[in-house]
Every structure is written in C-alpha cells, then in structure tokens.
Amino acid sequence: MEESNNSSEMGFLLLGFADDPQLERILFVIILLFYILNILGNTAIILVSYLAPILHTPMYFFLSNLSCVDICFTTSIAPQLLVTMSKKEKNMSYGGCVAQLYVAMGLGSSECILLAVMAYDRYAAVCQPLQYTTIMHPQLCASLAIIAWLSGLITSLIQCSLTVQLPLCGHHKLDHIFCEVPVLIKLACVDTTINEIELFVASVIFLIVPVSLILVSYGFITKTVLRIKSATGRRKAFGTCSSHLIVVIIFYGTIIFMYLQPAKSSSKNQGKFVSLFYTIVTPVLNPIIYTLRNKDVKGALRTLVMRNVLVSKNT
C-alpha cells in the first residue's frame, strides 16, 4: 500500500522531450506560438460569430462552441507543458495530473460529439434546405450543444475515475507531454486488460460512432450535391462543407491513431508527437481553415474591422 501511494505523494516526472534538450527548446517556441495563435484565432471566431448578425446561424453557433472547446482544451495542456519544459526539474503534482486528465479527456470527448453535430447541421442545410430553419431551430441547437458538453463530462468522470484507481507502485516517470489515459495505463503495475477494454469501448463510442455518422451525413450531402445541375451551385454547396470535412479528417485521424491501438504498442516518441498535434496544432488549424475558406466569416471580419477603424477615427 505504501508503495502504491508513492506516486500520489511524489507526483510525476513529466519527461516530455527532456532527452533531447535542443528539440525541447525548439518545441517550446513552437508550442508557445501555436498557443497564442489558438487563443487569438478562436477568440476572434467567437467574437465575430456573436457580433456579426449575418453569422447568427446554427453553423456559426456550433463553430463558436467548437472554438470555445479548443481554447479550453489547449489551455488545459499547453501552459503546464510550457512550464515543465522551461524547468530542469520536470515535476508535476499528482493533483495537477489528475485534474489535467479529467479536463483534457472531457473536452476532447466533447469535441468529438460536436464535430458530429456540425456534420448533421451541414446535412440539414444541403439536403433539406427548405426545412432547414425548422429542423435546426434554436432549442434543438442549444440541446445538441449541451449534449456534446455533458457527454464529454460523463465519459471523463467514468474513464478517468477507473484510471486513477490503478496502483502505480511507485512509478512516477510519465514519458509523455501531458497526463493522458493510455499513458497512465502503461504505468500500472497490475493487469490493465479491463481498463484497456473500457478505453477501447469509450473510443468506439466517441470516435468510431461519430465518424460513421459524419460519413453517412456526407454520403447524403455528396449525393444531393451531384444532383445540382449548376456548377456554381455545386461549388457553393461543397464550399459550405469542405472546411468542416478538413477539420474532421485532421482531428479524428490523429486522435484515432492515439486511442484505437493497444496501450503498450506505440513507440517512445510517436505518441508524444501525435498528442502534440491534436492538442496544440489542430485547434489552431480550425479558425484558419474556417476563416480562409469561408466568405461569410472573412466578410464579417472585414466589416467589424472597418467599423472599429471608423469609430476610432471619429473619436
């Protein structure tokens, strides 16, 4: 019992990329830059969606929720990672690790559901345009957003609670960039078959099922778009969906690679870079993709900037 409680008393050594100091210094600058861009980009999406009347639609309501999730998700990881990378001693308290475990998994799970909800919104917009406002009424949009947030919270409470109960028997060297369920399972000194099965089931529910629903939605969307005789109409229809589809491919591609494999199968640094990508890089790509590929967002941003410039000149 004393040996099992050792990690909770000592905390963890978050090794990250400590074995390569030069790489660690480079990554520190990159992570800091991407974190700042994440805050600025996603905050801009939230503000422009709120301030521009033209963007008061279900699509941008869900996009604002996605930006909020991304800000919180990266904030639960990046600051601690930057602090740890800047120190010689890579210590992280047990309580901080557990808190990060719950928050990061909850927000990541919520994003999985939210991306599926956004696919349904695009299906309704393209395949049921005449009934779109009736189908995606404000009450339904609010309910779907709440379901996405609550589902992440519930799965985090279940999965993380099972993980923190595993005896670590004094193992406190966490060879990763943050506290993540598959990594903590590796540290356990008991049979983790049940935990791995539970993690696999949760991954299927929050990864495979949403991806399947997204693929079905885009199958109907593609079928509907191909029936449009006008080339301009087809481009416009695909344009409204392409940004979301790119985000889905990037996000799900990396997170599925991390979670749908045996907990002890990945190489030493492979899991670190994969986790770094979907926790730090992907949240920055979301506002960039939606801004660069969306005329409504670019137009609303220009209008708001010009309005602020005129107001500042008049004052």
Side-chain angles (χ1 to χ4, degrees):
M1 181 64 69
E2 180 182 353
E3 195 175 7
S4 299
N5 292 334
N6 199 20
S7 293
S8 61
E9 295 173 0
M10 296 177 57
F12 292 96
L13 289 176
L14 197 65
L15 299 180
F17 299 94
D19 56 342
D20 191 340
Q22 184 176 358
L23 174 62
E24 190 175 51
R25 286 192 291 270
I26 295 172
L27 288 176
F28 179 90
V29 176
I30 293 174
I31 292 169
L32 179 60
L33 176 61
F34 271 73
Y35 181 55
I36 294 172
L37 291 175
N38 174 16
I39 299 296
L40 294 176
N42 284 297
T43 300
I45 291 291
I46 294 171
L47 290 176
V48 74
S49 298
Y50 177 75
L51 296 174
I54 192 176
L55 301 183
H56 290 175
T57 63
M59 175 181 175
Y60 296 103
F61 169 75
F62 293 126
L63 180 57
S64 297
N65 275 268
L66 180 65
S67 293
C68 184
V69 169
D70 283 337
I71 290 173
C72 298
F73 184 40
T74 306
T75 300
S76 70
I77 297 166
Q80 174 64 50
L81 179 58
L82 291 170
V83 169
T84 304
M85 294 176 75
S86 65
K87 299 188 303 182
K88 288 185 178 180
E89 296 294 331
K90 308 297 182 181
N91 295 325
M92 183 178 186
S93 68
Y94 181 81
C97 180
V98 171
Q100 186 180 74
L101 185 73
Y102 276 92
V103 174
M105 183 163 196
L107 292 169
S109 301
S110 294
E111 181 158 351
C112 292
I113 302 300
L114 196 55
L115 288 171
V117 169
M118 293 174 73
Y120 175 72
D121 172 69
R122 293 298 82 209
Y123 160 77
V126 175
C127 301
Q128 304 288 337
L130 298 180
Q131 293 82 32
Y132 178 65
T133 54
T134 303
I135 296 173
M136 301 303 296
H137 53 83
Q139 292 81 3
L140 177 62
C141 292
S143 298
L144 291 173
I146 291 172
I147 289 172
W149 285 90
L150 287 180
S151 60
L153 173 63
I154 293 170
T155 189
S156 176
L157 289 174
I158 296 173
Q159 179 65 55
C160 296
S161 296
L162 290 173
T163 302
V164 297
Q165 292 178 30
L166 289 172
L168 304 180
C169 301
H171 299 162
H172 64 281
K173 289 185 179 180
L174 199 65
D175 195 10
H176 199 52
I177 62 170
F178 73 103
C179 293
E180 196 168 16
V181 170
V183 181
L184 287 176
I185 288 177
K186 291 180 183 179
L187 295 184
C189 57
V190 295
D191 182 23
T192 59
T193 302
I194 294 177
N195 293 78
E196 291 187 37
I197 292 174
E198 200 280 331
L199 177 61
F200 182 81
V201 171
S203 300
V204 169
I205 294 173
F206 283 88
L207 295 175
I208 301 302
V209 172
V211 167
S212 300
L213 294 175
I214 290 170
L215 291 176
V216 170
S217 297
Y218 276 100
F220 283 112
I221 289 172
T222 302
K223 186 177 180 180
T224 300
V225 170
L226 292 177
R227 291 176 180 171
I228 300 175
K229 296 181 180 180
S230 169
T232 304
R234 286 197 297 270
R235 283 196 299 270
K236 183 178 179 181
F238 275 126
T240 61
C241 303
S242 57
S243 298
H244 176 257
L245 192 57
I246 292 172
V247 170
V248 165
I249 292 171
I250 294 173
F251 178 78
Y252 280 107
T254 52
I255 204 168
I256 284 176
F257 179 84
M258 182 68 188
Y259 277 84
L260 289 183
Q261 60 175 328
K264 301 179 181 179
S265 67
S266 59
S267 65
K268 183 177 180 181
N269 286 327
Q270 188 180 60
K272 298 178 188 177
F273 282 109
V274 172
S275 295
L276 196 64
F277 191 85
Y278 74 76
T279 57
I280 306 296
V281 179
T282 302
V284 177
L285 297 179
N286 292 351
I288 293 175
I289 292 170
Y290 277 103
T291 302
L292 294 180
R293 299 182 60 85
N294 195 296
K295 293 181 180 179
D296 290 338
V297 175
K298 288 188 287 186
L301 279 171
R302 282 195 298 267
T303 300
L304 291 174
V305 170
M306 291 300 297
R307 185 188 303 170
N308 290 331
V309 170
L310 292 174
V311 170
S312 61
K313 286 183 177 180
N314 292 333
T315 54

